[in-house]
């Protein structure tokens, strides 16, 4: 095996989460010649050669280093994730702790993030801490290279058979579709390469190679195992090992894991959830678990770049067009459904129940960056930027110590960030991602240098075929708050001709996304301006870039002026959740309205007319300093059946979406009604809406919020459910402030047949409180269990302080309720 010698002294480039060893300026190439014959044609400028000095990203990256990474390690210690390696290695007599077999991966991701931090800035204390943790990895590794703490420490695990994502007790490779042996390995490979490149130490790198060699010897044609990973990730890690070692078998193994997906002759297919329903080269639509999907697409892009596989390239383009044209949120988030953390159908983009997992947003950045590196088109960076500024950083608080798992586009007050999760993939992913953001800013190809992101700071970029010349680029900008960007050029070889390619964002060209999924509702006559040494130039946009070709001299400047009016965004008509609604965007930032900034904290009943004027104001005292959007609209209240809604003038203040939920839970919305038909007016008081709701489980606020479901399977609004309970007797209850006469109830059951495990109940009954006793109502007209309608029952009038419904769940299913009315 040949190792790229002394590459700890080289430059680390992060390609969408892929650490790549590139030649340092003036040094020999570190990759084997045969490896570099086929690769990404567009190369990222390594993040260690890019130094941000701005007020937006620099503080976040520093917070990640000084707060988030140490905090994540602390949580990994508190939850037993690190101790589990000691238990598996015989260094601890404790029991293995955790809820799932993928917990090992969280430690690896935080190690990877820590390594990136140290590559950018020395940190002896963190370095020593990593040495200690890595020693536990080595201890936990079995003699042949196997490393999976849950299996190795299985005799210490209470209720091993009930732990999620576990192999069979007697077969460490069993349960391949749901166990996470290979997923954990992939994240360890990524961490190992990052640590080796950052420190030059082989401690974790040798553990990874030993594990990878075992996997390569175990999986493949004629070998003992012929199934692909259930959760894709190892493909990315194997490619990183290939790049770091030059050993072709790792690349071949990554391609094997991809090529056997969807091939029933090799294994029992896992289905669309794991993108294992058809061969990858035949897939044209994004389906199933969104994180698994974008990790797979990223791995496919890596393998395509290194092998030239045209089938992969064709499939990736088709899938990308499906996502960007039908399944992308305006925030850049992906994954509409909480069930399966999955993509929905085309144009299925609900807001309140949007999943938009933080990991999926990070994976979307990985994938789009790779698509740019393959094709050099600015549209991929447009999607990357939208996701980065909105869908990703909404997932971590500004203090770096609390996180969102889902990132919905609407809230009724149920959402707030958490300091950790039982499934902690998102916090650990944030650790490794934030440290690498400078690696997305620039790229180069032969005589072309690409400016992809606009951030004040300094970058050193290799120019030319052999990278024998370099140029220092200095950016000055207050982006994303201001669209003025100044780039000063300092070439090492003055007079050498090359091309500076400056991205003209799609949003500055009247194109919110590179499809018809979203469009601007207003017409903005302003257009970008480009100046070279103070002289205005005609802009000709080619594949998303303005190209400036000249013999560059020290002190040359290029200025880009991007107008930043507030724009109204509307959705494709097929996006049902957004019909009659509008979103606000300024520059790359999507805005939302949050409860502290409107009267009575009521957001969901707002109406923003098209004619309302929009203005901006800088607020240094708010949320770390933000540009807010101010306008006037109305708050709507129901006046009664058949009557127009009552309108009350409201001042509306919108903040950047990434900054929401820092001031406590409450209502929030990205999409505001522009038509009354799309509004959610405050309901007129009813017996049910005034009652105090309670239940044996589930979201009780759903019972009386008066938001009408379109069907029993409607996921666009909240609903109460008892899943994962099955076959039990459950209850819901209304308590009235004073004795109330009632004689009828209506129940709209939740049933997600074809999507989940909730069905209409096996039966139910209605009780009323009589003193301290619960008694059945007299002469009920029936207890219907029909889906897609209100099930009404009348009974002899009774004056009571409370009503209770007892629900019998089906034997093998759960159940739920959308609405419960009382008359």
């Amino acid at each position: 095996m040949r190792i790229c010698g002394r590459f700890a002294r080289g430059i680390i480039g992060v390609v969408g989460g892929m650490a790549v060893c590139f030649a340092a300026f003036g040094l020999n190439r570190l990759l084997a010649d045969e490896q570099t014959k086929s690769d990404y044609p567009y190369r990222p400028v390594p993040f260690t050669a890019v130094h941000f000095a701005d007020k937006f990203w620099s503080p976040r990256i520093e917070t990640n280093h000084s707060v988030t990474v140490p905090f994540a390690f602390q949580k990994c210690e508190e939850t037993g994730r690190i101790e589990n390696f000691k238990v598996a290695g015989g260094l601890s007599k404790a029991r293995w702790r955790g809820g799932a077999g993928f917990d090992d991966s969280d430690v690896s991701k935080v190690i990877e993030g820590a390594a990136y931090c140290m590559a950018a800035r020395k940190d002896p204390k963190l370095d020593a801490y990593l040495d200690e943790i890595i020693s536990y990895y080595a201890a936990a590794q079995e003699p042949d290279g196997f490393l999976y703490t849950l299996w190795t420490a299985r005799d210490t695990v209470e209720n091993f058979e009930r732990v999620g994502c576990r192999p069979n007790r007697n077969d460490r490779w069993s349960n391949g579709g749901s166990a996470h042996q290979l997923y954990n390995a992939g994240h360890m490979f990524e961490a190992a390469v990052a640590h080796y490149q950052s420190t030059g130490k082989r401690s974790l790198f040798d553990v990874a190679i030993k594990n990878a060699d075992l996997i390569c010897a175990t999986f493949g044609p004629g070998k003992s195992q012929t199934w692909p990973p259930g959760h894709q990730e190892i493909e990315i890690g194997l490619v990183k090992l290939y790049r770091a070692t030059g050993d072709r078998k790792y690349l071949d193994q990554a391609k094997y894991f991809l090529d056997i997906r969807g091939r029933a002759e090799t294994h029992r297919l896992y289905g669309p959830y794991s993108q294992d329903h058809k061969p990858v080269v035949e897939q044209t639509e994004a389906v199933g678990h969104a994180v698994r999907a974008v990790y797979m697409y990223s791995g496919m892009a890596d393998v395509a770049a290194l092998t030239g596989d045209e089938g992969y390239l064709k499939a990736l383009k088709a899938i990308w067009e499906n996502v960007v044209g039908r399944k992308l949120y305006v925030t850049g988030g992906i994954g509409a459904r909480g069930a399966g953390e999955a993509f929905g159908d085309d144009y299925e983009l609900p807001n309140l129940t949007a999943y938009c997992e933080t990991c999926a947003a990070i994976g979307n950045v990985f994938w789009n960056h790779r698509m740019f590196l393959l094709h050099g088109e600015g549209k991929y960076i447009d999607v990357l930027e939208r996701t980065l500024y909105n869908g990703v950083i909404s997932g971590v608080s500004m203090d770096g110590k609390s996180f969102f798992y889902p990132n919905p586009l609407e809230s009724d007050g149920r959402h707030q960030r958490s300091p950790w999760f039982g499934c902690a993939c998102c916090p650990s992913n944030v650790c490794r991602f934030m440290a690498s953001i400078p690696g997305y800013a620039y790229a180069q190809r032969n005589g072309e240098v690409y400016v992809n992101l606009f951030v004040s700071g300094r970058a050193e970029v290799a120019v030319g075929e052999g990278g024998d010349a370099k140029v220092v680029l200095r950016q000055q900008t207050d982006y994303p708050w201001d669209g003025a960007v100044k780039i000063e050029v300092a070439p090492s070889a003055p007079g050498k001709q090359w091309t500076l390619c400056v991205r003209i964002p799609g949003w500055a060209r009247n194109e919110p996304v590179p499809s018809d999924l979203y469009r601007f509702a207003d017409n903005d006559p302003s257009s970008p301006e480009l100046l070279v040494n103070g002289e205005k130039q005609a802009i000709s946009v080619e594949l998303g870039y303005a190209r400036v070709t000249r013999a560059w001299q020290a002190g040359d400047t290029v200025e880009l002026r991007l107008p930043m009016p507030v724009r109204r965004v509307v959705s494709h008509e097929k996006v049902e959740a957004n019909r009659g609604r509008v979103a606000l965007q300024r520059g790359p930032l999507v805005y939302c309205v949050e409860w502290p900034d409107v009267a009575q904290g009521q957001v969901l009943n707002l109406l923003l007319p098209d004619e309302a004027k929009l203005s901006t104001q800088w607020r240094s005292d708010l949320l770390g300093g933000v540009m807010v959007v101010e306008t006037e609209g109305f708050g709507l209240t129901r006046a009664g059946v058949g009557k127009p809604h009552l309108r009350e003038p409201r001042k509306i203040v919108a903040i950047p979406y990434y900054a929401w939920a820092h001031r406590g839970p409450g209502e929030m919305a990205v999409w505001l009604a522009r038509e009354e038909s799309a509004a959610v007016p405050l309901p007129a008081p009813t017996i049910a809406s005034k009652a105090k709701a309670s239940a044996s489980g589930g979201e009780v606020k759903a019972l009386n919020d008066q938001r009408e479901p379109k069907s029993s399977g409607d996921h666009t609004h909240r609903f109460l459910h008892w899943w994962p309970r099955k076959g039990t007797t459950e209850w819901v209850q209304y308590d009235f402030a004073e004795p109330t006469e009632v004689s009828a109830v209506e129940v709209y059951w939740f049933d997600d047949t074809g999507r989940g495990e909730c069905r209409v109940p096996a039966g139910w009954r209605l009780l009323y409180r009589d003193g301290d006793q619960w008694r059945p109502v007299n002469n009920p007209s029936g207890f219907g269990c029909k889906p897609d309608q209100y099930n009404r029952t009348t009974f002899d009038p009774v004056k009571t302080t409370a009503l209770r419904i007892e629900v019998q769940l089906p034997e093998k299913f759960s159940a739920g309720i959308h609405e419960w009315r009382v008359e």
Side-chain angles (χ1 to χ4, degrees), residues 230-245:
H231 193 313
Q232 302 90 315
E233 154 59 29
I234 193 172
E235 301 86 351
I236 298 173
L238 284 167
V239 169
K240 287 188 177 184
L241 283 181
Y242 165 61
R243 291 178 177 278
T245 65

Side-chain angles (χ1 to χ4, degrees), residues 189-212:
F189 298 166
E190 292 196 75
V193 172
H195 182 255
Y196 187 13
Q197 291 179 328
S198 173
T199 67
K201 299 176 182 178
R202 295 185 58 97
S203 50
L204 187 57
F205 194 64
D206 286 341
V207 170
I209 288 175
K210 190 175 182 180
N211 183 252

Side-chain angles (χ1 to χ4, degrees), residues 28 90 107 185 224 307 313 327 334 400 431 494 517 543 545 552 560 587 626 645 653 694 711 736 765 768:
N28 293 328
V107 184
S224 64
T307 65
L313 295 174
K327 298 181 178 180
I334 53 174
C431 290
L517 184 57
L543 297 179
Y545 292 88
W552 295 90
L560 180 64
V626 292
H645 300 319
V653 176
S694 58
S711 68
F736 310 127
R765 65 175 184 155
Y768 71 96

Side-chain angles (χ1 to χ4, degrees), residues 690-710:
K690 292 188 293 184
K692 177 184 177 182
S694 58
S696 58
E699 177 57 66
V700 295
K701 290 183 179 180
L703 294 174
N704 56 359
D705 63 4
Q706 299 188 51
R707 300 189 74 169
E708 296 297 316
K710 297 178 178 64

Side-chain angles (χ1 to χ4, degrees), residues 613-628:
K613 293 183 178 180
L614 306 171
S615 62
T616 59
Q617 181 183 356
W618 176 254
R619 291 281 305 276
S620 60
D621 61 331
L622 182 64
L623 299 166
V626 292
M627 189 76 75
V628 301

Side-chain angles (χ1 to χ4, degrees), residues 385 454 477-485 505 507-508 524 526 561-567 585-589 591 616 627:
E385 180 185 64
F454 306 117
T477 182
D478 197 24
Y479 197 89
W481 310 119
D482 190 279
V485 181
W507 59 260
D524 177 37
S526 58
R561 298 173 182 172
L562 300 170
M564 282 192 170
V566 182
R567 306 295 302 274
Q585 178 176 337
R586 183 178 183 272
L589 297 176
Y591 278 70
T616 59
M627 189 76 75

